[in-house]
Amino acid sequence: MAETTSEKIPVTVLTGYLGAGKTTLLNRILSENHGKKYAVIVNEFGEIGIDNDLIIGADEEVFEMNNGCICCTVRGDLVRIMEGLMKRRGKFDAIIVETTGLADPAPVAQTFFVDEDVQKNARLDAVVTVADAKWLSDRLKDAPEAKNQIAFADVIVLNKTDLVSKGELSEVEARIRGINPYAKLHRTERCKVQLSDVLERGAFDLDRILDIEPDFLEVDDHDHDHDHDHHHHHHHDHDHGHGLKHYHDEEMQSLSLKSERPLDPALFMPWLQNLVQAEGQKILRSKGILAFSGDDDRYVFQGVHMMLEGDHQRKWKDGEKRESRVVFIGRELPEEKIRAGFEACIVEK
Amino acid sequence: MSAEQASIASVTDRVRPVAIGAPVTSAYFLKDRAAFVCGEEKVALVSQDGEIDNIEVHSGGILSAVSDGERIVMGGDNGKVVALDAKGEVTLLATDPKRRWIDNVAVHPDGTIAWSAGKTAYVKAPKGEEKSLEVLSTVGGLAFAPKGLRLAIAHYNGATLWFPNMAATAEFLPWAGSHLAVTFSPDNKFLVTSMHEAALHGWRLADNRHMRMTGYPGRVKSMSWSADGKFLATSGADTVIMWPFASKDGPMGKEPAMLAPLQARVTAVACHPKQGVLAAGYSDGTILMVRLEDGAEILVRRNGTPEVSALAWNAKGTWLAFADAEGNAGLLEL
C-alpha cells in the first residue's frame, strides 16, 4: 500500500490505574473546543459525559496469535472495531482507546503493528498514562499493572498534584523516573493539560524520533543541569542534595546505551533482532538512533516487545554529532549481556 | 494494462458503469435490481438500465449484511437489525437494548434471522421468540446450516454449533486462534472458518476432524462455494485459491487449485450460481470471470482502478454486479 503516515488515522492509547483520572482526561479532550471529532473506544459505557455518536464499547479481548508467541498478543476486539470504524472514515479525525485500569498496554500497541488491515488504516500515536500523584507510589509497590503502564508510557499525566505536598510530589516523580525517564511528564490537577501535550505526539513515528534524551523536570525553582547519562545501580535511594531523589526500581528499569564510534550494521541488526527475540518478554519498549559505519543516513528504530520497525531517517547534518543511542525499558533486563552485545557491534578504530 | 491482460478476451465495453457515490462494502441482487450496500447509511438499488434508488437503511455504519435473494438483512453500529426488500421497503427486525454494534447477521431459508452483538448470538424465527446464546468471546461470524435450524457461531478458539430449537447444549468445535467468518459446505458435511491468521480452518462435521488450509499471504475475507458445491473459492492470495470439497475427506491432504494469478491480491470472489464460472476482484481493481474447468479468463474491469470490494451474481446467473471501495460500481449482462 502506498498510503503515507499522514493519511492514517492517529490512535492515542489512554491507560492508567483505577481512579487515576482517565475518564476526566477523556472528558476534557472531548469537551474542549478543538474542532476535531474523535472516535472513542471505551470499556464502560456511560462514564463519558459528552454526546458522541462514535463511542464504542470494547471487551478487552486479548488474543494470542497462533505462532504461540506470548509477545504477539493482540486485542481481537480492537481489530474488529477498527474494521467497523473504517466504514465511517471521514466521520472522525482520530481515535482514542481507553483501557481498563488493569490492562497491559502492550496488546493494544501490538494490534497496530501486527494486524495488516489495522496497520493500513491507522497508526499508533502515543501511549498516554494517567497517574495519581497521591497513590501511585503505593500502586507501584503492589500493582504490577501500574508499573507496566508507567514503563510503557510516552506521556505521563501526573494527576491530583493538588492532593500532595511538594515533598510527596518529588517522591512520586522520582519513582516514575526510576522506571521511565523518557516519557514526557505533565503535572496536573483534574487532568488539566494542553491537548497538544497528549494528542498528535507521533511517539511511534520513526520520523519523529528526534531525540531520546531523558525528559527531566524542573524541580522547584532551579534548573539542575547535572549529568544524567550515568545510570544508578544502587539498590537504595540516594539524595543529590537538592531534594530530587533518584530511585532505581528493582524490577522495571530503563537501560541507555551510547557510542560515539559508528556501529557495524552487519553486527548490530542481527544482534538487535536476536535480543528482542530472546528477551522480548522483558523488553517493553525500545528506541534507537544509530550511526552506522559507511552510511551517511541516520537510522532509527522503535519496538514494542518483540516487534521492531526501523528505517533510514535522513542524512546526518553537517556538524551533527554522529552518535548512536539506544534505549530499552523493561523488567529485569540482563544489563551486562545487553551492554556487552552492544559494545561488540561498535566498529574498532 | 499488462500484456497478459491485453491478450485475454474482454467484455469491459459491455459493462454499464454506475456511480454510487459512497464506498460499497457488499453487493446482492433483489429481484431485477442490484443492491449495493454502502459502508454507512444507505443501500443503492440499481435497475438494469442504471437507474439508482438510494434507500436509507441505518443512521450510522452498516457493519454486516447478508441476503437470501428476497431481502438484505443488515446490522448497524446503532444496534439495529433491519431488512430491505426488493420494493425498497425497510423493516426493523431487532434493536439491541444497549445499542451495541451488530457485528454479524445471517439468514435462514425459512426466514429466521440471526445476529450477534459482543459475545451473544441471537436467533429469531419470523413469528417466534428471540433466543440467545452467549459464547466464549466476541462472535466473529455466523452462518446457518443448509439443513435444519442450526447456527454456526465463529469465535476465539473455535466455533459453536447451536440448535436454537433444541434443549441440548451447543456443540463446541475447538481450534486455537481467532475465527472471524464461517460457512457450511452446501452438502452440510463441512464447516469452514476464516481466521485472523491468514488461514482457513475446517471441520468435517461427521467426526469433527480438522482441516488446516494455510499458505495465504493475507487474511481471507471473501469465500464462495462453487455452484456444484465441489470447491470453495477464496480471496487472500494473488490467485484465486480453490479448495476441493468433492470427496468425503474434503481438502484433507490435497493441494488447492489456483486460478487467475495476477500481480495483485484477490479481494473478492463470487461463484456463478449455476455454472462452473467465478468472478474474482483484485486489489488493483481488476475483475476477471474465470472458467473453473480450464482457468480461461475474461476481463470485466481493467487494473489501475480502486480495490474491488463487492461482487454478486443474480440468481439466474445472467447479471454480474461489482463495486469498489470508492463507490464505483458496474453491471454486466451476460
Side-chain angles (χ1 to χ4, degrees):
Chain A
M1 286 291 123
E3 275 142 319
T4 61
T5 312
S6 61
E7 291 165 336
K8 296 186 183 183
I9 293 173
V11 180
T12 303
V13 178
L14 195 53
T15 76
Y17 207 67
L18 306 163
K22 284 191 304 279
T23 308
T24 311
L25 179 58
L26 200 47
N27 277 326
R28 190 172 285 283
I29 291 170
L30 295 179
S31 60
E32 206 134 310
N33 187 18
H34 39 54
K36 289 204 169 183
K37 289 200 84 174
Y38 293 93
V40 187
I41 301 168
V42 297
N43 291 285
E44 295 286 336
F45 273 121
E47 285 187 12
I48 296 180
I50 307 295
D51 282 335
N52 188 324
D53 279 339
L54 288 169
I55 291 182
I56 305 111
D59 298 307
E60 292 218 336
E61 292 183 330
V62 176
F63 290 173
E64 275 169 41
M65 301 294 281
N66 251 5
N67 59 17
C69 159
I70 192 91
C71 293
C72 297
T73 52
V74 299
R75 279 273 303 274
D77 57 324
L78 270 185
V79 174
R80 173 180 63 85
I81 289 168
M82 291 299 298
E83 201 177 316
L85 274 178
M86 285 311 135
K87 295 186 172 171
R88 309 208 68 191
R89 259 192 116 137
K91 292 289 191 293
F92 56 92
D93 307 292
I95 297 171
I96 300 171
V97 183
E98 183 201 28
T99 70
T100 62
L102 298 175
D104 175 3
V108 182
Q110 286 170 172
T111 305
F112 293 90
F113 296 104
V114 169
D115 189 83
E116 190 185 5
D117 295 313
V118 173
Q119 205 178 21
K120 202 164 85 182
N121 293 309
R123 64 175 172 84
L124 192 55
D125 184 64
V127 176
V128 177
T129 298
V130 185
D132 181 328
K134 190 159 177 65
W135 295 110
L136 183 72
S137 296
D138 287 349
R139 292 296 81 76
L140 290 178
K141 287 173 204 153
D142 64 15
E145 299 86 1
K147 205 178 264 188
N148 248 346
Q149 291 163 357
I150 295 294
F152 217 91
D154 299 294
V155 177
I156 295 169
V157 176
L158 186 56
N159 194 31
K160 308 192 184 179
T161 53
D162 50 329
L163 303 182
V164 294
S165 68
K166 272 190 179 175
E168 288 170 312
L169 189 58
S170 5
E171 169 91 15
V172 71
E173 282 172 6
R175 288 203 182 272
I176 290 172
R177 289 315 183 190
I179 295 169
N180 184 345
Y182 300 97
K184 295 280 175 227
L185 197 153
H186 304 282
R187 299 167 180 174
T188 66
E189 295 170 21
R190 286 168 290 278
C191 287
K192 213 177 278 174
V193 278
Q194 295 291 319
L195 291 191
S196 58
D197 287 336
V198 289
L199 301 173
E200 287 294 331
R201 302 296 308 167
F204 289 85
D205 184 350
L206 287 174
D207 280 335
R208 285 172 64 175
I209 301 182
L210 298 176
D211 70 294
I212 44 179
E213 296 295 327
D215 175 63
F216 282 103
L217 284 165
E218 294 166 15
V219 173
D220 297 334
D221 293 315
H222 70 278
D223 287 351
H224 55 279
D225 211 9
H226 59 251
D227 180 21
H228 280 276
D229 268 334
H230 62 283
H231 272 251
H232 306 286
H233 308 292
H234 315 277
H235 289 278
H236 43 85
D237 314 330
H238 66 273
D239 201 299
H240 276 232
H242 49 54
L244 180 64
K245 279 185 185 169
H246 280 225
Y247 284 97
H248 182 79
D249 192 277
E250 296 282 333
E251 188 203 2
M252 195 79 84
Q253 324 90 26
S254 64
L255 176 57
S256 152
L257 307 165
K258 188 166 122 178
S259 170
E260 291 179 4
R261 275 183 289 145
L263 303 174
D264 181 346
L267 295 175
F268 181 85
M269 296 312 283
W271 170 74
L272 181 66
Q273 299 278 1
N274 288 336
L275 178 69
V276 299
Q277 280 305 310
E279 306 291 349
Q281 296 206 31
K282 294 178 180 165
I283 300 169
L284 272 65
R285 298 282 300 264
S286 54
K287 267 182 197 183
I289 296 174
L290 307 169
F292 286 134
S293 56
D295 190 343
D296 283 332
D297 283 348
R298 254 164 75 121
Y299 190 90
V300 292
F301 78 90
Q302 69 92 17
V304 172
H305 286 302
M306 290 189 187
M307 251 156 271
L308 284 176
E309 52 173 24
D311 206 353
H312 293 275
Q313 183 190 30
R314 59 163 171 80
K315 291 248 179 292
W316 287 100
K317 289 174 191 154
D318 287 340
E320 188 179 16
K321 203 170 171 188
R322 295 197 182 191
E323 194 177 71
S324 296
R325 303 180 67 106
V326 176
V327 169
F328 297 102
I329 297 177
R331 74 170 64 79
E332 286 152 7
L333 296 175
E335 178 168 351
E336 293 314 314
K337 181 184 149 193
I338 294 176
R339 285 194 186 280
F342 179 74
E343 298 289 328
C345 301
I346 298 170
V347 176
E348 296 299 324
K349 270 179 194 164
Chain B
M1 278 299 283
S2 69
E4 185 187 18
Q5 282 191 31
S7 67
I8 72 170
S10 168
V11 291
T12 53
D13 55 346
R14 285 175 42 202
V15 170
R16 176 189 292 281
V18 183
I20 303 298
V24 174
T25 52
S26 59
Y28 307 91
F29 274 88
L30 291 176
K31 296 241 163 75
D32 295 334
R33 290 197 284 182
F36 297 97
V37 179
C38 295
E40 45 188 0
E41 290 162 10
K42 72 167 188 177
V43 175
L45 290 175
V46 181
S47 69
Q48 289 167 356
D49 50 13
E51 193 184 318
I52 304 174
D53 192 1
N54 283 314
I55 316 280
E56 292 286 322
V57 292
H58 270 293
S59 58
I62 304 169
L63 300 173
S64 47
V66 68
S67 177
D68 57 5
E70 301 291 318
R71 57 189 179 155
I72 303 170
V73 175
M74 289 162 281
D77 66 1
N78 55 2
K80 292 193 161 86
V81 184
V82 300
L84 171 70
D85 68 15
K87 284 179 258 166
E89 278 173 22
V90 181
T91 315
L92 178 65
L93 299 176
T95 304
D96 185 81
K98 292 186 216 155
R99 264 198 65 187
R100 290 178 300 172
W101 284 18
I102 308 299
D103 296 314
N104 300 284
V105 285
V107 62
H108 189 273
D110 76 1
T112 301
I113 57 155
W115 69 95
S116 74
K119 294 177 187 174
T120 310
Y122 300 85
V123 163
K124 194 173 182 298
K127 284 180 183 151
E129 292 274 295
E130 186 178 304
K131 291 174 183 168
S132 67
L133 179 74
E134 188 173 314
V135 291
L136 300 171
S137 67
T138 301
V139 176
L142 295 173
F144 278 109
K147 286 174 203 151
L149 190 68
R150 189 186 205 191
L151 184 69
I153 306 162
H155 47 80
Y156 186 49
N157 282 344
T160 296
L161 291 174
W162 178 37
F163 286 100
N165 289 340
M166 287 160 82
T169 42
E171 184 184 1
F172 174 50
L173 304 177
W175 186 256
S178 180
H179 301 260
L180 295 173
V182 62
T183 178
F184 282 90
S185 63
D187 62 7
N188 208 16
K189 286 183 178 151
F190 300 96
L191 185 74
V192 179
T193 61
S194 156
M195 301 190 64
H196 182 255
E197 284 87 359
L200 301 183
H201 193 76
W203 291 268
R204 184 165 66 186
L205 294 172
D207 56 4
N208 291 356
R209 259 189 75 180
H210 293 287
M211 298 175 283
R212 300 180 62 184
M213 291 164 267
T214 58
Y216 291 92
R219 216 202 287 168
V220 179
K221 290 184 192 156
S222 180
M223 301 189 274
S224 176
W225 293 95
S226 62
D228 58 9
K230 287 181 180 169
F231 287 96
L232 179 63
T234 61
S235 71
D238 56 5
T239 147
V240 179
I241 305 288
M242 306 277 295
W243 295 98
F245 279 83
S247 80
K248 66 174 172 48
D249 289 337
M252 277 183 264
K254 299 191 187 81
E255 292 291 314
M258 288 178 264
L259 292 177
L262 282 186
Q263 304 276 329
R265 191 79 65 82
V266 177
T267 52
V269 287
C271 291
H272 190 279
K274 304 220 186 277
Q275 293 166 26
V277 169
L278 64 79
Y282 294 77
S283 58
D284 68 355
T286 307
I287 294 171
L288 297 173
M289 281 192 292
V290 188
R291 192 157 60 201
L292 305 188
E293 189 184 12
D294 58 1
E297 298 164 8
I298 295 173
L299 185 69
V300 177
R301 191 167 87 147
R302 291 164 201 281
N303 64 359
T305 44
E307 179 171 309
V308 179
S309 58
L311 286 170
W313 297 94
N314 68 343
K316 287 183 200 153
T318 51
W319 284 84
L320 175 68
F322 67 81
D324 67 33
E326 292 182 17
N328 312 296
L331 291 172
L332 172 69
E333 186 175 15
L334 295 166

